[in-house]
Amino acid sequence: MPILRSAFIALSKNRTVRRFSERSSMGRKMSSRFVAGLELEDAIRVAEAVNQQGMLVTLDSLGESVSTEAEAQKAAEIYHQLLDQIAARKLKANISVKLTQMGLELFPALAEDIAESLAKHAAATNNFLRIDMEDSSLTQTTLNIVRRIHALPELRGAIGIVIQAYLYRSQADIEQLVAEGIRVRLCKGAYKEPAEVAFPSKADVDKNYVLLSGMLLDSPLYHGLATHDEAMITAAKAFASQHKIDPSRFEFQMLYGVRRDLQRKLIHDGYNVRVYIPFGREWYPYFMRRLAERPANVLFLAKNFFRN
Ligand SMILES: Cc1cc2nc3c(=O)[nH]c(=O)nc-3n(C[C@H](O)[C@H](O)[C@H](O)COP(=O)(O)OP(=O)(O)OC[C@H]3O[C@@H](n4cnc5c(N)ncnc54)[C@H](O)[C@@H]3O)c2cc1C
């Protein structure tokens, strides 16, 4: 399985396969299990359906590193449209943004300006901007940007961040973020990281996830626990019940198309669930990362594909 995981991560970066897949109708059909569609309207339609099932939503316009300022501005514009659509249609949804899509690697000042203007738009529409976390070369910069924006009095509470349990530094980061009043989404981490910065074994990542989720649940802020791992969910539920933390004070988060059975069960049991809904033409790297997480998905997708 680790070989397959590395193979999918390598494939997620292969430009030729990407170009071919994004243009082929078979590729789009396969990816539809995890991606709402190509256009903003597809995402809104799926978000409405997910809301109707009693779940909250976060919307992600797919795309990673950009190479020009115009591309970054174009990516930002889609998020501004999303915030307007969410408000107009009264959706229970917020937005998730990657700073590399806003130009972080080539034009860091622009990425920071875009994040600030999205946070302002979110605050003005009573919404919330979540900055996704990317690979560890960007962790410190991402934290700095979110902390600076959150420190602006009018934007307090309008922006939050993601922390990855596989990084050794995450406990210290959570202590600082919670002290500053910044809301966190905790996930295990999706990138390939060296042993100098991240726990190499799944058991250690899981142990750290349980520790960090306890720290978040214990804080006075509303945080998100992003995972499909039943052991992580059981541990969080047990911690909340032992510490008399009401289920309304936190949410579980899962990806669109993953463990729908578990999403429904949590809602049924009275927990808040937010579904992360990605959409857009640049679905290929996202889709490959989902296959890397669970290579068995390839068989599952292939079976459904041929059945349909
Ligand atoms: C809402 C949300 C936001 C995220 N944001 C970020 C982010 O900003 N930065 C980042 O690095 N990572 C992010 N991730 C990804 C995360 O880091 C993990 O890579 C991913 O969630 C898989 O970890 P897991 O906790 O589900 O546990 P795992 O140990 O990977 O999986 C546990 C079990 O969950 C199920 N499962 C997990 N993944 C899949 C799948 N793709 N298909 C089917 N079943 C699956 C399987 O049953 C598996 O046995 C996010 C995840 C979610 C849910």
Side-chain angles (χ1 to χ4, degrees):
M1 281 301 175
I3 298 173
L4 274 176
R5 182 178 148 81
S6 303
F8 282 120
I9 289 188
L11 268 178
S12 76
K13 295 175 186 153
N14 185 306
R15 284 169 191 272
T16 315
V17 182
R18 174 176 177 167
R19 223 172 298 130
F20 171 77
S21 306
E22 285 182 348
R23 285 180 192 162
S24 87
S25 62
M26 186 175 97
R28 286 206 295 272
K29 201 168 161 195
M30 294 280 250
S31 67
S32 66
R33 167 80 193 192
F34 300 118
V35 177
L38 300 184
E39 310 299 337
L40 187 143
E41 295 72 42
D42 298 320
I44 297 292
R45 186 176 31 77
V46 171
E48 273 169 348
V50 170
N51 275 175
Q52 273 161 18
Q53 292 165 36
M55 292 183 263
L56 307 161
V57 162
T58 189
L59 289 166
D60 170 30
S61 168
L62 290 168
E64 284 161 44
S65 305
V66 293
S67 45
T68 66
E69 294 192 359
E71 278 172 10
Q73 300 282 16
K74 204 170 146 205
E77 186 43 41
I78 297 177
Y79 277 106
H80 283 294
Q81 288 171 19
L82 275 176
L83 286 170
D84 287 335
Q85 286 291 322
I86 290 169
R89 300 192 192 211
K90 298 190 171 51
L91 292 176
K92 288 183 182 155
N94 60 34
I95 53 171
S96 287
V97 172
K98 286 192 174 43
L99 289 179
T100 55
Q101 199 188 356
M102 304 301 143
L104 184 62
E105 288 155 312
L106 294 176
F107 324 102
L110 174 66
E112 191 159 348
D113 281 353
I114 290 177
E116 187 176 325
S117 78
L118 284 171
K120 282 188 177 142
H121 194 165
T125 51
N126 217 357
N127 210 323
F128 177 75
L129 162 66
R130 173 82 63 189
I131 301 295
D132 283 349
M133 190 57 84
E134 301 177 68
D135 71 61
S136 62
S137 68
L138 299 167
T139 308
Q140 191 57 51
T141 318
T142 305
L143 279 158
N144 294 345
I145 291 176
V146 171
R147 291 175 56 216
R148 192 194 63 75
I149 295 174
H150 189 269
L152 299 170
E154 74 276 21
L155 297 183
R156 231 188 126 72
I159 185 167
I161 199 163
V162 178
I163 291 293
Q164 298 151 323
Y166 63 19
L167 296 185
Y168 303 132
R169 59 177 290 165
S170 290
Q171 183 172 354
D173 286 336
I174 286 190
E175 275 162 13
Q176 189 173 21
L177 290 163
V178 165
E180 290 175 27
I182 300 179
R183 287 165 54 185
V184 171
R185 170 201 297 151
L186 179 66
C187 66
K188 289 193 189 177
Y191 298 82
K192 194 164 167 51
E193 297 290 356
E196 292 80 59
V197 298
F199 294 104
S201 90
K202 175 173 159 56
D204 287 334
V205 177
D206 289 359
K207 203 165 134 203
N208 204 35
Y209 191 101
V210 172
L211 173 85
L212 301 181
S213 60
M215 286 171 65
L216 293 176
L217 290 171
D218 229 0
S219 89
L221 303 169
Y222 182 92
H223 298 290
L225 302 179
T227 182
H228 316 96
D229 189 336
E230 296 204 51
M232 302 300 107
I233 292 170
T234 305
K237 282 169 65 180
F239 186 97
S241 127
Q242 277 155 21
H243 293 77
K244 308 223 171 331
I245 297 161
D246 193 81
S248 63
R249 289 195 32 221
F250 62 96
E251 67 187 29
F252 290 110
Q253 300 186 353
M254 294 191 207
L255 303 178
Y256 177 65
V258 178
R259 292 303 310 264
R260 290 174 179 165
D261 55 335
L262 193 51
Q263 297 175 10
R264 280 194 292 266
K265 182 164 186 330
L266 285 167
I267 286 291
H268 176 265
D269 293 347
Y271 292 95
N272 294 329
V273 176
R274 187 177 300 275
V275 179
Y276 185 106
I277 301 181
F279 71 97
R281 297 187 171 270
E282 295 187 48
W283 51 264
Y284 176 83
Y286 176 87
F287 179 57
M288 283 296 151
R289 278 207 300 279
R290 302 291 77 82
L291 296 185
E293 277 158 13
R294 191 166 177 263
N297 273 334
V298 176
L299 286 177
F300 167 81
L301 290 172
K303 257 194 259 161
N304 280 301
F305 182 78
F306 288 111
R307 196 176 297 146
N308 296 334

